[in-house]
Amino acid sequence: MTIPFIDSHAHLNLMPPDSPPAQTLERAKRSGLVALVNVGTDLERSRESVRLSETLSGVFATVGLHPGDADQWSPEIAQEFLSMAGRDRVVAIGETGLDFSYDAPSREIQELSFEKHVRLAKERDLPLVIHCRDAFERVFSILKTHSLPSRPGVFHCFTGSWEEARKALDLGFYLSFSGIVTFKNAEYLRDVSRRAPSDRMMVETDCPYLAPVPFRGKTNEPAYLPETIGVIAHERQENPGTLSETLIANTRTLFALPESA
Ligand SMILES: [Zn+2]
Ligand SMILES: [Zn+2]
């Protein structure tokens, strides 16, 4: 059975040469994909995201610097992001955030870039796509000391505890679950997916990374997302089709996607 779904976080432009964006998207559409948010990670990849969103139907874009590329931040880049963020198909700022599993860029540089992105999101009133690893405390304190956009955003590829999930939800954020929720050792995350409020959840591939079971170890692609939805539906004792409709509605709301997409 094919269920409709939205991939809330993908990197079609990072797929290997044998899976070009248009073909990967076609395969996903045959598997039920109705829309996809392609996420920028640095300046060039943000430009690519915008190009994809303006050439492939059902694709939307975000622009921003991944914490691993935070040292690229400059006033010129800020100007270009601000201008790209005004385009119709650009629906969020990110991925930004903090990843303290990296030694470089330094924490100071990552925090500076993250704060600039929060201000940019507020200025354009676009939601934030947050990448947070080993850094929840700092991410929360930065978010609490800034004014946030009217739709604050999403913690993408959420891998925190239920306590951290609660804090993100209290700040008005959504939680997006990736293929990690299907991994054998991720019982804690399945627990979070059971407890999460149904109006604040989304799903994503983060492709080409993090393929769900039974594709683990392969290049991930949006066509595999129904596996992740199936596991969450099982955990929540919901019908996968009904759950997916809820996830689609949530994703449309957060990113203000048009109904036709
Ligand atoms: Zn990420
Ligand atoms: Zn990503």
Side-chain angles (χ1 to χ4, degrees):
M1 187 190 70
T2 306
I3 56 166
F5 63 91
I6 294 183
D7 189 346
S8 79
H9 187 118
H11 304 284
L12 289 180
N13 49 320
L14 303 183
M15 295 295 287
D18 60 347
S19 291
Q23 287 175 26
T24 308
L25 187 70
E26 272 320 303
R27 275 201 296 278
K29 285 180 175 172
R30 283 198 295 273
S31 301
L33 180 126
V34 294
L36 173 153
V37 179
N38 200 80
V39 172
T41 54
D42 66 11
L43 178 59
E44 192 45 45
R45 286 159 177 179
S46 296
R47 289 177 181 147
E48 287 168 9
S49 271
V50 174
R51 266 199 297 276
L52 288 174
S53 73
E54 292 176 351
T55 50
L56 298 174
S57 78
V59 176
F60 297 86
T62 77
V63 297
L65 297 181
H66 189 280
D69 292 301
D71 52 356
Q72 282 188 14
W73 186 267
S74 70
E76 293 73 36
I77 283 197
Q79 265 314 313
E80 188 166 343
F81 282 161
L82 187 66
S83 126
M84 286 195 282
R87 301 182 76 93
D88 274 358
R89 307 291 286 184
V90 175
V91 296
I93 300 298
E95 56 186 294
T96 178
L98 301 175
D99 191 327
F100 291 166
S101 70
Y102 295 131
D103 294 328
S106 70
R107 293 182 177 201
E108 284 83 0
I109 289 173
Q110 290 190 35
E111 291 191 10
L112 177 86
S113 170
F114 180 36
E115 291 183 341
K116 298 283 189 190
H117 282 80
V118 176
R119 293 206 184 100
L120 176 58
K122 173 71 184 168
E123 189 172 346
R124 279 287 181 204
D125 200 28
L126 288 175
L128 286 156
V129 174
I130 294 185
H131 171 113
C132 176
R133 194 161 161 212
D134 301 341
F136 278 103
E137 213 172 301
R138 284 302 296 149
V139 165
F140 291 139
S141 75
I142 288 170
L143 292 173
K144 279 184 191 151
T145 51
H146 287 75
S147 63
L148 300 177
S150 54
R151 293 163 282 132
V154 56
F155 278 73
H156 108 84
C157 191
F158 185 80
T159 50
S161 64
W162 173 244
E163 204 185 324
E164 288 156 344
R166 270 255 55 97
K167 289 182 184 164
L169 294 164
D170 286 347
L171 284 166
F173 282 80
Y174 288 65
L175 309 174
S176 178
F177 295 92
S178 69
I180 293 177
V181 79
T182 71
F183 294 178
K184 196 163 183 261
N185 61 359
E187 185 48 47
Y188 79 99
L189 194 57
R190 283 187 285 281
D191 181 55
V192 174
S193 81
R194 271 193 296 273
R195 297 161 78 165
S198 62
D199 60 348
R200 294 285 199 87
M201 308 172 68
M202 311 196 308
V203 283
E204 65 176 78
T205 55
D206 204 13
C207 71
Y209 316 110
L210 301 172
V213 173
F215 305 109
R216 198 173 174 182
K218 289 193 181 178
T219 300
N220 196 9
E221 59 175 80
Y224 297 164
L225 194 53
E227 301 293 337
T228 301
I229 297 169
V231 166
I232 298 173
H234 177 80
E235 290 300 322
R236 296 171 67 88
Q237 299 184 303
E238 286 182 42
N239 174 289
T242 314
L243 173 65
S244 196
E245 288 298 336
T246 305
L247 300 171
I248 287 174
N250 296 345
T251 313
R252 283 197 202 287
T253 302
L254 177 66
F255 294 121
L257 304 184
E259 272 303 320
S260 55

